[in-house]
Amino acid sequence: MAKVFLNGQPVEHPHEVHEHISPMSTYNGVIGALFVLTGLTFAVSFADLGPASLTVAMVVAFVKATLVVAYFMHLKYDDKFHLFVFLGTIIFVGIFFGFTMFDLKSRDALNDEQETFVRWKEQTNEGKGLPVGVDNVPERRAKILAEIEAHGGGHGGGEHSAGHGGGEHKAEAKAEHKAAAH
Amino acid sequence: MSNDHAHAPAHVDDDEHNPHLAHHFDTMGQQTASAKLGMWLFLATEILMFSGLFLAYFILRMFYPEMVLEAHEHLSKWAGGINTVVLLSSSYTMALGVRSIQLGDAKKLRLMLVLTMLCGCIFMVVKYFEYSAKFEHGMLPGKFYSAHLHGYEIEGLPHIFFGVYFLMTGLHGVHVVIGLAIMLWMFIRAGRGEFSAKNYVAIENTGLYWHLVDLVWIFLFPLLYLVK
């Protein structure tokens, strides 16, 4: 008998199927719990929990996800390497979320301190009814508003309003770019 | 291999003659494990893809909390809730389908696939009504946004919120449609008698995909429809 390998490990009895078959009661219990938890989040959403509501909703969602992954997707009984792949992915999602949020949350304070703050805020462009990205540093704001005025205004708000410029030169470049585009 | 074959115990099935064993695998067990590992790696890329959209939602929420709260009031909690129950039920029937074929019952597998597809279709019908309502009210992404012309004043950047909403639910909806197509394919293959208790990894992987679609919805539902 030739040696058979699974995930780099030699397998003793390659012809046997090692799949775990869960009893019906497991599946019935899991779907029951999922329905109860769905009802719970639904009911809780009508109560005014304030900032805690996000935490409650996410905790319930994580419990539901764990049930699905462990029992419906068989990760509880499966090859542990699949669990490793799954948890590894979750860790990378955590890094992705963590670092991005940390950057976005701490950048404001840093920019304020160094006076490189360029946060684009929405402001209604009178007459056109469209939000336009406007710098909130007074001198630059006046300059940009003057330019918008000079070119008839009415830029689409979507593409500019949520952006973050990076420093004075960029802001000016942006303003010039806006002016040139019209 | 043929030399040793004579010494193999009599009770061991001869995988070499299983018509579903690809020539580059030694046994059905090895073939199953490889296919499942591949599926889990694919699911990892799916999770990472959706995570980008979830992050966009959280950033939007962080910068414009009031706007997100105001805009989300325009989504139907009941439609989202019904769809959650429908999708969870479909995951349940899919899991039972995998269990049926693990026990060698191809007939029950086909029944479960039909039930799962039925739930998937109900999900898409509810989605259709939800989307129609949003289109009617001009609650559309980016430059297509025109809800203010329909008498809905939402402060801030509602066109960005609806961009995130349509991208997240839309990508999820595309996954549901692809899942339905795969299940139809599996239904046909099951009808041809391809699957058995020894060869069902295609069903198992279809199930894994479908549960992932369910998993994404488990997070989408509270974040978009419920959270205050």
Side-chain angles (χ1 to χ4, degrees):
Chain A
M1 186 79 217
K3 252 192 177 163
V4 172
F5 288 85
L6 276 186
N7 304 322
Q9 299 292 322
V11 178
E12 294 280 320
H13 304 288
H15 292 280
E16 287 168 18
V17 176
H18 297 283
E19 296 293 327
H20 173 91
I21 303 174
S22 308
M24 278 301 286
S25 57
T26 305
Y27 290 116
N28 292 336
V30 168
I31 190 68
L34 288 173
F35 282 152
V36 168
L37 287 169
T38 303
L40 185 72
T41 15
F42 198 74
V44 159
S45 77
F46 289 100
D48 198 7
L49 293 182
S53 67
L54 180 66
T55 319
V56 171
M58 284 297 94
V59 167
V60 174
F62 268 107
V63 174
K64 282 165 79 178
T66 309
L67 286 174
V68 170
V69 171
Y71 294 100
F72 284 178
M73 298 171 96
H74 302 145
L75 263 197
K76 192 181 168 193
Y77 312 103
D78 215 351
D79 190 333
K80 287 287 169 276
F81 191 64
H82 299 160
L83 183 66
F84 168 74
V85 170
F86 178 73
L87 291 182
T89 312
I90 302 304
I91 289 169
F92 276 97
V93 170
I95 293 170
F96 182 31
F97 275 43
F99 277 64
T100 311
M101 285 313 217
F102 174 70
D103 175 45
L104 287 175
K105 279 190 169 166
S106 57
R107 193 188 295 183
D108 274 1
L110 200 64
N111 283 338
D112 277 345
E113 199 176 298
Q114 300 173 346
E115 296 187 347
T116 52
F117 181 47
V118 184
R119 171 81 167 272
W120 297 82
K121 290 212 166 167
E122 335 75 78
Q123 183 165 322
T124 304
N125 183 14
E126 309 262 329
K128 302 287 177 187
L130 293 169
V132 170
V134 173
D135 203 324
N136 77 340
V137 175
E139 310 89 70
R140 287 202 294 260
R141 181 203 298 205
K143 194 179 165 219
I144 292 168
L145 280 178
E147 278 185 27
I148 291 170
E149 193 67 29
H151 289 84
H155 301 37
E159 59 224 345
H160 296 298
S161 44
H164 290 248
E168 199 138 2
H169 291 295
K170 225 173 183 176
E172 273 169 13
K174 232 177 192 173
E176 273 165 27
H177 172 72
K178 269 181 161 182
H182 292 263
Chain B
M1 195 152 186
S2 54
N3 274 350
D4 297 322
H5 192 247
H7 304 291
H11 71 270
V12 172
D13 290 33
D14 198 349
D15 272 343
E16 282 169 82
H17 301 302
N18 193 319
H20 301 294
L21 178 64
H23 73 277
H24 49 282
F25 290 115
D26 288 324
T27 67
M28 290 303 281
Q30 192 188 37
Q31 176 168 286
T32 299
S34 307
K36 259 174 109 173
L37 175 59
M39 193 65 201
W40 273 105
L41 289 174
F42 170 68
L43 294 188
T45 67
E46 290 274 282
I47 292 169
L48 291 172
M49 174 169 70
F50 274 104
S51 76
L53 292 173
F54 277 102
L55 184 56
Y57 167 87
F58 280 115
I59 290 171
L60 191 66
R61 208 189 144 93
M62 183 172 83
F63 282 137
Y64 308 98
E66 298 88 8
M67 183 275 286
V68 169
L69 290 191
E70 205 182 329
H72 108 283
E73 293 291 334
H74 295 277
L75 303 179
S76 165
K77 270 187 186 184
W78 283 102
I82 290 166
N83 262 354
T84 305
V85 171
V86 166
L87 214 54
L88 288 175
S89 306
S90 77
S91 248
Y92 173 66
T93 55
M94 187 72 228
L96 292 191
V98 173
R99 184 177 183 273
S100 308
I101 198 65
Q102 279 178 330
L103 297 169
D105 190 347
K107 215 174 154 192
K108 200 174 168 206
L109 163 68
R110 292 187 91 204
L111 171 70
M112 287 303 163
L113 282 175
V114 168
L115 289 178
T116 312
M117 283 189 278
L118 195 69
C119 287
C121 290
I122 294 172
F123 181 90
M124 289 315 288
V125 169
V126 174
K127 202 95 255 176
Y128 166 78
F129 284 114
E130 268 191 276
Y131 274 12
S132 316
K134 293 288 157 297
F135 275 65
E136 245 172 63
H137 299 151
M139 292 170 185
L140 293 168
K143 65 174 180 178
F144 303 106
Y145 182 82
S146 61
H148 54 288
L149 302 177
H150 292 81
Y152 296 96
E153 287 300 335
I154 305 170
E155 288 287 314
L157 303 165
H159 57 299
I160 307 273
F161 175 81
F162 284 104
V164 169
Y165 165 78
F166 273 102
L167 212 56
M168 290 178 96
T169 58
L171 188 64
H172 179 265
V174 168
H175 277 78
V176 171
V177 172
I178 292 171
L180 288 175
I182 294 171
M183 276 185 271
L184 187 63
W185 179 33
M186 290 304 139
F187 179 77
I188 293 167
R189 283 176 66 181
R192 289 193 203 131
E194 272 190 41
F195 302 121
S196 66
K198 291 209 84 183
N199 176 49
Y200 63 88
V201 70
I203 300 293
E204 170 109 44
N205 282 352
T206 307
L208 287 178
Y209 173 85
W210 193 252
H211 297 314
L212 185 93
V213 172
D214 190 28
L215 222 53
V216 171
W217 186 260
I218 284 175
F219 286 95
L220 269 187
F221 171 58
L223 287 178
L224 285 176
Y225 293 82
L226 294 185
V227 149
K228 287 201 175 174

